[in-house]
Amino acid sequence: GSKTAGDIAEEFPMTRASLSHHFNTLKAADLVRTERRGQHIVYSLNATVLQEALVLLLDIFSPGGTAGDTHNERSDTNDR
C-alpha cells in the first residue's frame, strides 16, 4: 500500500539522504508514484509498469517465449 517517506525510511538502515536518492531513482524509472499530503510525500507502486515488466519476463522465460527461441537458434547455429 501507500506509505510516507518516513514510514518507508523506518524499514531500512539507511540515511534519509540515501533513501531520498533511491526514491528519486524509482520516480525517474516511473516505478513509484508520489502524492503530497500536507507536509508528507506518500509513495505507492506504479502497478502498470510492474505489470508490463512481468509480462515481458513471462514472455522471455516461458517455453514459447522469444528469448527461449533465440537461445535455441544460437545453440543450433553453434552446433553446425
Side-chain angles (χ1 to χ4, degrees):
S2 301
K3 291 188 175 188
T4 66
D7 291 339
I8 296 170
E10 291 175 1
E11 302 293 325
F12 296 94
M14 304 172 101
T15 65
R16 296 218 181 223
S18 292
L19 284 169
S20 179
H21 172 75
H22 289 289
F23 289 145
N24 287 329
T25 301
L26 292 169
K27 286 190 324 188
D30 200 28
L31 292 173
V32 295
R33 295 188 176 174
T34 59
E35 177 186 341
R36 181 169 287 281
R37 294 184 189 161
Q39 293 185 359
H40 300 283
I41 297 176
V42 177
Y43 291 85
S44 59
L45 289 176
N46 182 355
T48 303
V49 172
L50 295 173
Q51 288 171 342
E52 291 171 1
L54 180 59
V55 168
L56 178 63
L57 289 172
L58 288 173
D59 183 50
I60 290 170
F61 292 107
S62 67
T66 56
D69 294 341
T70 303
H71 177 68
N72 291 337
E73 289 173 13
R74 288 182 186 154
S75 296
D76 293 342
T77 304
N78 291 337
D79 291 341
R80 293 182 190 163

Coordinates of all heavy atoms in Angstrom, one line a residue:
G1 N 0.8 -1.2 0.0 CA 0.0 0.0 0.0 C 0.9 1.3 0.0 O 2.1 1.2 0.0
S2 N 0.2 2.4 0.0 CA 0.9 3.7 0.1 C 1.5 3.9 1.4 O 0.9 3.6 2.4 CB -0.1 4.8 -0.3 OG -0.7 4.5 -1.6
K3 N 2.7 4.5 1.4 CA 3.4 4.9 2.7 C 4.1 6.2 2.5 O 4.5 6.5 1.4 CB 4.4 3.8 3.1 CG 3.8 2.5 3.5 CD 4.9 1.6 4.0 CE 4.2 0.3 4.6 NZ 5.2 -0.5 5.3
T4 N 4.2 6.9 3.6 CA 5.0 8.1 3.6 C 6.5 7.8 3.5 O 6.9 6.7 3.8 CB 4.8 9.0 4.8 OG1 5.3 8.3 5.9 CG2 3.3 9.3 5.0
A5 N 7.3 8.8 3.1 CA 8.7 8.6 3.0 C 9.3 8.2 4.4 O 10.1 7.3 4.5 CB 9.4 9.8 2.5
G6 N 8.7 8.8 5.5 CA 9.2 8.5 6.8 C 8.8 7.1 7.2 O 9.7 6.4 7.9
D7 N 7.6 6.6 6.9 CA 7.3 5.2 7.2 C 8.2 4.2 6.5 O 8.6 3.2 7.0 CB 5.8 4.9 6.7 CG 4.8 5.6 7.6 OD1 5.2 6.0 8.7 OD2 3.7 5.8 7.1
I8 N 8.5 4.5 5.2 CA 9.4 3.6 4.5 C 10.8 3.7 5.1 O 11.5 2.7 5.2 CB 9.4 4.0 3.0 CG1 8.0 3.8 2.4 CG2 10.5 3.2 2.2 CD1 7.9 4.4 1.0
A9 N 11.3 4.9 5.4 CA 12.6 5.1 6.0 C 12.8 4.2 7.3 O 13.9 3.7 7.5 CB 12.9 6.5 6.3
E10 N 11.8 4.1 8.0 CA 11.9 3.3 9.3 C 12.2 1.8 9.0 O 12.7 1.1 9.9 CB 10.6 3.4 10.1 CG 10.3 4.7 10.7 CD 9.0 4.8 11.3 OE1 8.2 3.8 11.4 OE2 8.7 5.9 11.8
E11 N 11.9 1.3 7.8 CA 12.2 -0.1 7.4 C 13.6 -0.4 7.0 O 13.9 -1.5 6.8 CB 11.2 -0.5 6.4 CG 9.7 -0.3 6.8 CD 9.3 -1.2 7.9 OE1 9.7 -2.4 7.9 OE2 8.4 -0.8 8.7
F12 N 14.4 0.7 6.7 CA 15.7 0.5 6.1 C 16.8 1.1 6.9 O 16.6 2.3 7.4 CB 15.7 1.0 4.7 CG 14.8 0.3 3.7 CD1 13.5 0.8 3.5 CD2 15.2 -0.8 3.1 CE1 12.6 0.2 2.6 CE2 14.3 -1.5 2.2 CZ 13.1 -1.0 2.0
P13 N 17.9 0.4 7.1 CA 19.0 1.0 7.9 C 19.9 1.9 7.0 O 21.1 1.6 6.7 CB 19.8 -0.2 8.3 CG 19.6 -1.2 7.2 CD 18.2 -0.9 6.7
M14 N 19.3 3.0 6.5 CA 20.0 3.9 5.6 C 19.7 5.4 6.1 O 18.8 5.6 6.8 CB 19.5 3.8 4.1 CG 19.5 2.4 3.5 SD 18.7 2.4 2.0 CE 20.1 2.5 0.9
T15 N 20.6 6.2 5.6 CA 20.4 7.6 5.9 C 19.2 8.2 5.1 O 18.9 7.6 4.0 CB 21.6 8.5 5.6 OG1 21.8 8.5 4.2 CG2 22.8 8.0 6.4
R16 N 18.6 9.2 5.5 CA 17.5 9.8 4.8 C 17.9 10.3 3.4 O 17.2 10.2 2.4 CB 16.8 10.9 5.6 CG 16.1 10.3 6.8 CD 14.8 10.9 7.1 NE 14.3 10.3 8.4 CZ 13.0 10.0 8.5 NH1 12.2 10.2 7.5 NH2 12.6 9.4 9.6
A17 N 19.2 10.8 3.4 CA 19.7 11.3 2.1 C 19.9 10.1 1.1 O 19.5 10.3 -0.1 CB 21.1 11.9 2.3
S18 N 20.3 9.0 1.6 CA 20.4 7.8 0.7 C 19.0 7.4 0.2 O 18.8 7.1 -1.0 CB 21.1 6.6 1.4 OG 22.4 6.9 1.6
L19 N 18.1 7.3 1.1 CA 16.7 7.0 0.7 C 16.1 7.9 -0.3 O 15.5 7.5 -1.2 CB 15.8 6.8 1.9 CG 16.0 5.6 2.8 CD1 15.3 5.7 4.1 CD2 15.6 4.4 2.0
S20 N 16.4 9.2 -0.1 CA 15.9 10.2 -1.0 C 16.4 10.0 -2.4 O 15.7 10.1 -3.4 CB 16.3 11.6 -0.5 OG 15.9 12.6 -1.4
H21 N 17.7 9.6 -2.5 CA 18.3 9.3 -3.8 C 17.6 8.1 -4.4 O 17.3 8.1 -5.6 CB 19.8 9.0 -3.6 CG 20.5 8.5 -4.8 ND1 20.8 9.3 -5.9 CD2 20.9 7.2 -5.2 CE1 21.3 8.6 -6.8 NE2 21.4 7.3 -6.4
H22 N 17.4 7.1 -3.6 CA 16.7 5.9 -4.2 C 15.2 6.2 -4.6 O 14.8 5.7 -5.6 CB 16.7 4.8 -3.1 CG 18.0 4.2 -3.0 ND1 18.6 3.4 -3.9 CD2 18.9 4.2 -1.9 CE1 19.8 3.0 -3.5 NE2 20.0 3.5 -2.3
F23 N 14.6 7.0 -3.8 CA 13.2 7.4 -4.2 C 13.2 8.2 -5.5 O 12.4 7.9 -6.4 CB 12.6 8.4 -3.1 CG 12.2 7.7 -1.8 CD1 12.4 8.4 -0.6 CD2 11.8 6.4 -1.8 CE1 12.0 7.7 0.6 CE2 11.4 5.8 -0.6 CZ 11.6 6.4 0.6
N24 N 14.2 9.1 -5.7 CA 14.3 9.8 -6.9 C 14.5 8.9 -8.1 O 14.0 9.1 -9.2 CB 15.3 10.9 -6.8 CG 14.9 12.1 -6.0 OD1 13.7 12.4 -5.9 ND2 15.8 12.7 -5.3
T25 N 15.4 7.9 -7.9 CA 15.7 6.9 -9.0 C 14.4 6.1 -9.3 O 14.1 5.9 -10.5 CB 16.8 5.9 -8.5 OG1 18.0 6.7 -8.2 CG2 17.1 4.9 -9.6
L26 N 13.7 5.7 -8.3 CA 12.4 5.0 -8.6 C 11.4 5.8 -9.3 O 10.7 5.4 -10.2 CB 11.8 4.4 -7.2 CG 12.7 3.3 -6.6 CD1 12.1 3.1 -5.2 CD2 12.6 2.1 -7.4
K27 N 11.3 7.1 -8.9 CA 10.4 8.0 -9.6 C 10.8 8.2 -11.0 O 10.0 8.2 -11.9 CB 10.3 9.4 -8.8 CG 9.6 9.3 -7.6 CD 9.3 10.7 -6.9 CE 10.3 11.7 -7.0 NZ 10.1 12.9 -6.2
A28 N 12.1 8.4 -11.3 CA 12.6 8.6 -12.6 C 12.3 7.4 -13.5 O 12.0 7.6 -14.7 CB 14.1 8.9 -12.6
A29 N 12.3 6.2 -12.9 CA 12.0 5.0 -13.7 C 10.5 4.7 -13.7 O 10.1 3.8 -14.3 CB 12.7 3.8 -13.0
D30 N 9.7 5.6 -13.2 CA 8.3 5.5 -13.2 C 7.8 4.3 -12.4 O 6.7 3.7 -12.8 CB 7.7 5.6 -14.6 CG 6.2 6.0 -14.6 OD1 5.8 6.7 -13.7 OD2 5.5 5.6 -15.6
L31 N 8.6 3.8 -11.5 CA 8.2 2.6 -10.7 C 7.3 3.0 -9.5 O 6.7 2.1 -8.9 CB 9.4 1.8 -10.3 CG 10.2 1.2 -11.4 CD1 11.5 0.6 -10.9 CD2 9.3 0.1 -12.1
V32 N 7.4 4.2 -9.0 CA 6.6 4.7 -7.9 C 5.9 6.0 -8.3 O 6.4 6.7 -9.2 CB 7.4 4.9 -6.6 CG1 8.0 3.6 -6.1 CG2 8.5 5.9 -6.8
R33 N 4.8 6.2 -7.6 CA 4.1 7.5 -7.8 C 4.1 8.2 -6.5 O 4.2 7.6 -5.4 CB 2.6 7.2 -8.2 CG 2.5 6.5 -9.5 CD 1.2 6.4 -10.0 NE 1.2 5.8 -11.4 CZ 0.2 5.5 -12.1 NH1 -1.0 5.7 -11.6 NH2 0.3 5.0 -13.3
T34 N 4.1 9.5 -6.6 CA 4.1 10.3 -5.3 C 2.9 11.2 -5.3 O 2.3 11.6 -6.3 CB 5.4 11.2 -5.3 OG1 5.4 12.0 -6.4 CG2 6.6 10.3 -5.2
E35 N 2.5 11.5 -4.0 CA 1.4 12.4 -3.8 C 1.7 13.2 -2.5 O 2.1 12.6 -1.5 CB 0.1 11.6 -3.6 CG -1.1 12.4 -3.3 CD -2.3 11.6 -3.0 OE1 -2.4 10.4 -3.3 OE2 -3.3 12.1 -2.3
R36 N 1.6 14.5 -2.6 CA 1.8 15.3 -1.4 C 0.6 15.4 -0.6 O -0.5 15.7 -1.2 CB 2.3 16.7 -1.8 CG 2.6 17.6 -0.6 CD 3.3 18.8 -1.0 NE 4.7 18.6 -1.3 CZ 5.7 18.4 -0.5 NH1 5.4 18.4 0.8 NH2 6.9 18.3 -0.8
R37 N 0.7 15.1 0.6 CA -0.4 15.2 1.6 C 0.1 16.1 2.7 O 0.8 15.6 3.6 CB -0.9 13.8 2.1 CG -1.5 13.0 1.1 CD -2.0 11.6 1.6 NE -2.4 10.7 0.6 CZ -2.5 9.4 0.7 NH1 -2.3 8.9 1.9 NH2 -2.9 8.7 -0.3
G38 N -0.2 17.3 2.7 CA 0.3 18.3 3.7 C 1.8 18.4 3.6 O 2.3 18.7 2.5
Q39 N 2.5 18.1 4.6 CA 3.9 18.2 4.6 C 4.6 16.8 4.3 O 5.8 16.7 4.2 CB 4.5 18.6 6.0 CG 4.1 20.1 6.3 CD 4.7 20.5 7.6 OE1 5.4 19.8 8.3 NE2 4.5 21.8 8.0
H40 N 3.8 15.8 4.0 CA 4.3 14.5 3.7 C 4.2 14.2 2.2 O 3.2 14.6 1.6 CB 3.5 13.4 4.5 CG 3.6 13.6 6.0 ND1 4.8 13.3 6.7 CD2 2.8 14.1 6.9 CE1 4.6 13.6 8.0 NE2 3.4 14.1 8.1
I41 N 5.1 13.3 1.8 CA 5.0 12.8 0.4 C 4.7 11.3 0.6 O 5.4 10.6 1.3 CB 6.3 13.0 -0.4 CG1 6.6 14.4 -0.6 CG2 6.3 12.2 -1.7 CD1 7.9 14.7 -1.2
V42 N 3.6 10.9 -0.1 CA 3.2 9.5 0.0 C 3.6 8.8 -1.2 O 3.4 9.3 -2.4 CB 1.7 9.4 0.3 CG1 1.2 8.0 0.3 CG2 1.3 10.1 1.5
Y43 N 4.2 7.6 -1.1 CA 4.7 6.8 -2.2 C 3.9 5.6 -2.4 O 3.4 5.0 -1.4 CB 6.2 6.4 -2.0 CG 7.2 7.5 -2.0 CD1 7.4 8.3 -0.9 CD2 7.8 7.8 -3.2 CE1 8.3 9.3 -0.9 CE2 8.8 8.8 -3.2 CZ 9.0 9.6 -2.1 OH 9.9 10.6 -2.2
S44 N 3.6 5.2 -3.6 CA 2.9 4.0 -3.9 C 3.5 3.4 -5.2 O 4.1 4.1 -6.0 CB 1.4 4.2 -4.1 OG 1.2 5.2 -5.2
L45 N 3.4 2.1 -5.3 CA 3.9 1.4 -6.5 C 3.1 1.8 -7.7 O 1.9 1.9 -7.7 CB 3.9 -0.1 -6.3 CG 4.9 -0.7 -5.4 CD1 4.7 -2.2 -5.2 CD2 6.3 -0.4 -5.8
N46 N 3.8 1.9 -8.9 CA 3.1 2.1 -10.1 C 2.9 0.7 -10.7 O 3.8 0.2 -11.4 CB 3.9 3.0 -11.1 CG 3.2 3.2 -12.4 OD1 2.2 2.7 -12.6 ND2 3.8 4.1 -13.2
A47 N 1.7 0.1 -10.4 CA 1.5 -1.2 -10.8 C 1.5 -1.4 -12.3 O 1.9 -2.5 -12.8 CB 0.1 -1.7 -10.3
T48 N 1.2 -0.4 -13.1 CA 1.2 -0.6 -14.6 C 2.6 -0.9 -15.1 O 2.7 -1.8 -15.9 CB 0.7 0.8 -15.2 OG1 -0.6 1.1 -14.7 CG2 0.6 0.6 -16.7
V49 N 3.6 -0.2 -14.6 CA 4.9 -0.5 -15.1 C 5.4 -1.9 -14.6 O 6.0 -2.7 -15.4 CB 5.9 0.6 -14.5 CG1 7.4 0.2 -14.8 CG2 5.6 1.9 -15.1
L50 N 5.0 -2.3 -13.4 CA 5.4 -3.6 -12.9 C 4.6 -4.7 -13.7 O 5.2 -5.7 -14.0 CB 5.0 -3.7 -11.4 CG 5.8 -2.8 -10.5 CD1 5.3 -2.8 -9.1 CD2 7.3 -3.1 -10.6
Q51 N 3.4 -4.5 -14.0 CA 2.7 -5.5 -14.8 C 3.3 -5.6 -16.2 O 3.5 -6.7 -16.7 CB 1.2 -5.1 -15.0 CG 0.4 -5.2 -13.7 CD -1.0 -4.6 -13.8 OE1 -1.3 -3.8 -14.7 NE2 -1.8 -5.0 -12.9
E52 N 3.7 -4.5 -16.8 CA 4.4 -4.6 -18.1 C 5.7 -5.3 -18.0 O 6.0 -6.2 -18.9 CB 4.6 -3.2 -18.7 CG 3.3 -2.5 -19.1 CD 3.6 -1.0 -19.4 OE1 4.7 -0.5 -19.4 OE2 2.6 -0.3 -19.7
A53 N 6.4 -5.1 -17.0 CA 7.7 -5.8 -16.8 C 7.5 -7.3 -16.6 O 8.2 -8.2 -17.1 CB 8.5 -5.2 -15.6
L54 N 6.4 -7.6 -15.8 CA 6.1 -9.0 -15.6 C 5.7 -9.8 -16.9 O 6.1 -10.9 -17.1 CB 5.0 -9.2 -14.5 CG 4.5 -10.6 -14.2 CD1 5.7 -11.4 -13.6 CD2 3.4 -10.5 -13.2
V55 N 4.9 -9.1 -17.7 CA 4.5 -9.7 -19.0 C 5.8 -9.9 -19.8 O 5.9 -11.0 -20.4 CB 3.5 -8.8 -19.7 CG1 3.3 -9.2 -21.2 CG2 2.2 -8.8 -19.0
L56 N 6.7 -9.0 -19.8 CA 7.9 -9.1 -20.6 C 8.7 -10.3 -20.1 O 9.2 -11.1 -20.9 CB 8.7 -7.8 -20.6 CG 10.1 -7.9 -21.3 CD1 9.9 -8.1 -22.8 CD2 10.8 -6.6 -21.0
L57 N 8.9 -10.4 -18.8 CA 9.6 -11.5 -18.2 C 9.0 -12.9 -18.5 O 9.7 -13.8 -18.8 CB 9.8 -11.3 -16.7 CG 10.8 -10.2 -16.3 CD1 10.7 -10.0 -14.8 CD2 12.2 -10.5 -16.7
L58 N 7.7 -12.9 -18.4 CA 7.0 -14.2 -18.7 C 7.2 -14.6 -20.1 O 7.3 -15.7 -20.4 CB 5.5 -14.0 -18.3 CG 5.1 -14.0 -16.8 CD1 3.7 -13.7 -16.6 CD2 5.5 -15.3 -16.2
D59 N 7.1 -13.6 -21.0 CA 7.3 -13.9 -22.4 C 8.8 -14.4 -22.7 O 9.0 -15.3 -23.4 CB 7.1 -12.6 -23.3 CG 7.2 -12.9 -24.7 OD1 6.6 -13.9 -25.2 OD2 8.0 -12.1 -25.4
I60 N 9.7 -13.8 -22.0 CA 11.1 -14.2 -22.2 C 11.4 -15.6 -21.6 O 12.0 -16.4 -22.3 CB 12.1 -13.2 -21.5 CG1 12.1 -11.9 -22.3 CG2 13.5 -13.8 -21.4 CD1 12.8 -10.7 -21.6
F61 N 10.8 -15.9 -20.5 CA 11.1 -17.2 -19.8 C 10.1 -18.3 -20.0 O 10.3 -19.4 -19.5 CB 11.4 -16.9 -18.3 CG 12.6 -16.1 -18.1 CD1 12.6 -14.8 -17.7 CD2 13.9 -16.7 -18.3 CE1 13.7 -14.0 -17.5 CE2 15.0 -15.9 -18.1 CZ 14.9 -14.6 -17.7
S62 N 9.0 -18.0 -20.7 CA 8.1 -19.1 -20.9 C 8.5 -20.0 -22.0 O 9.4 -19.6 -22.9 CB 6.7 -18.5 -21.3 OG 6.8 -17.9 -22.5
P63 N 8.1 -21.2 -22.1 CA 8.5 -22.2 -23.1 C 8.4 -21.7 -24.5 O 9.2 -21.9 -25.4 CB 7.6 -23.4 -22.9 CG 7.2 -23.3 -21.4 CD 7.1 -21.9 -21.1
G64 N 7.4 -20.9 -24.8 CA 7.2 -20.4 -26.1 C 7.7 -18.9 -26.3 O 7.5 -18.3 -27.3
G65 N 8.4 -18.4 -25.3 CA 8.9 -17.1 -25.3 C 9.9 -16.8 -26.4 O 10.6 -17.7 -26.8
T66 N 10.1 -15.6 -26.7 CA 11.1 -15.2 -27.8 C 12.5 -15.4 -27.4 O 13.3 -15.8 -28.2 CB 10.9 -13.7 -28.2 OG1 11.0 -12.9 -27.0 CG2 9.5 -13.5 -28.8
A67 N 12.8 -15.2 -26.1 CA 14.2 -15.4 -25.7 C 14.6 -16.9 -25.7 O 15.7 -17.2 -26.1 CB 14.4 -14.9 -24.2
G68 N 13.7 -17.8 -25.4 CA 14.0 -19.2 -25.5 C 14.2 -19.6 -26.9 O 15.1 -20.4 -27.2
D69 N 13.4 -19.0 -27.9 CA 13.6 -19.3 -29.3 C 15.0 -18.8 -29.8 O 15.7 -19.5 -30.5 CB 12.5 -18.7 -30.1 CG 11.2 -19.3 -29.8 OD1 11.1 -20.4 -29.3 OD2 10.2 -18.7 -30.2
T70 N 15.4 -17.6 -29.4 CA 16.6 -17.1 -29.8 C 17.8 -17.9 -29.2 O 18.7 -18.2 -29.9 CB 16.8 -15.6 -29.2 OG1 15.7 -14.9 -29.7 CG2 18.1 -15.0 -29.7
H71 N 17.7 -18.3 -28.0 CA 18.7 -19.2 -27.4 C 18.8 -20.5 -28.1 O 19.9 -20.9 -28.4 CB 18.4 -19.4 -25.9 CG 19.4 -20.3 -25.2 ND1 20.7 -20.0 -25.0 CD2 19.3 -21.6 -24.8 CE1 21.3 -21.0 -24.4 NE2 20.5 -22.0 -24.3
N72 N 17.7 -21.1 -28.5 CA 17.7 -22.4 -29.2 C 18.3 -22.2 -30.6 O 19.1 -23.1 -31.0 CB 16.3 -23.0 -29.3 CG 15.8 -23.5 -27.9 OD1 16.6 -23.7 -27.0 ND2 14.5 -23.6 -27.8
E73 N 18.0 -21.1 -31.3 CA 18.6 -20.9 -32.6 C 20.1 -20.7 -32.5 O 20.8 -21.2 -33.3 CB 17.9 -19.6 -33.2 CG 16.5 -19.9 -33.6 CD 15.8 -18.6 -34.1 OE1 16.6 -17.6 -34.3 OE2 14.6 -18.6 -34.2
R74 N 20.6 -20.0 -31.5 CA 22.0 -19.9 -31.3 C 22.7 -21.2 -31.1 O 23.7 -21.5 -31.6 CB 22.3 -18.9 -30.2 CG 22.0 -17.5 -30.5 CD 22.3 -16.6 -29.3 NE 21.9 -15.2 -29.6 CZ 21.6 -14.4 -28.7 NH1 21.7 -14.7 -27.4 NH2 21.2 -13.1 -29.0
S75 N 22.0 -22.1 -30.3 CA 22.6 -23.4 -30.0 C 22.7 -24.2 -31.3 O 23.7 -24.9 -31.5 CB 21.7 -24.1 -29.0 OG 21.8 -23.4 -27.7
D76 N 21.6 -24.1 -32.1 CA 21.6 -24.9 -33.3 C 22.7 -24.4 -34.3 O 23.4 -25.2 -34.9 CB 20.3 -24.7 -34.1 CG 19.1 -25.4 -33.3 OD1 19.5 -26.3 -32.4 OD2 18.0 -25.1 -33.6
T77 N 22.9 -23.0 -34.3 CA 23.9 -22.5 -35.2 C 25.3 -22.9 -34.7 O 26.2 -23.2 -35.5 CB 23.8 -20.9 -35.2 OG1 22.5 -20.6 -35.6 CG2 24.8 -20.3 -36.1
N78 N 25.5 -22.9 -33.4 CA 26.9 -23.2 -32.8 C 27.2 -24.7 -33.0 O 28.3 -25.1 -33.1 CB 26.9 -22.9 -31.4 CG 26.9 -21.4 -31.1 OD1 27.3 -20.6 -32.0 ND2 26.5 -21.0 -30.0
D79 N 26.1 -25.5 -33.2 CA 26.4 -27.0 -33.3 C 26.8 -27.3 -34.7 O 27.3 -28.4 -34.9 CB 25.1 -27.8 -33.0 CG 24.8 -27.7 -31.5 OD1 25.7 -27.3 -30.7 OD2 23.6 -27.9 -31.1
R80 N 26.6 -26.5 -35.7 CA 26.9 -26.8 -37.1 C 28.4 -26.7 -37.3 O 29.2 -26.2 -36.9 CB 26.2 -25.8 -38.0 CG 24.7 -26.1 -37.9 CD 24.0 -25.1 -38.9 NE 22.6 -25.2 -38.6 CZ 21.7 -24.4 -39.0 NH1 22.1 -23.3 -39.7 NH2 20.4 -24.5 -38.7

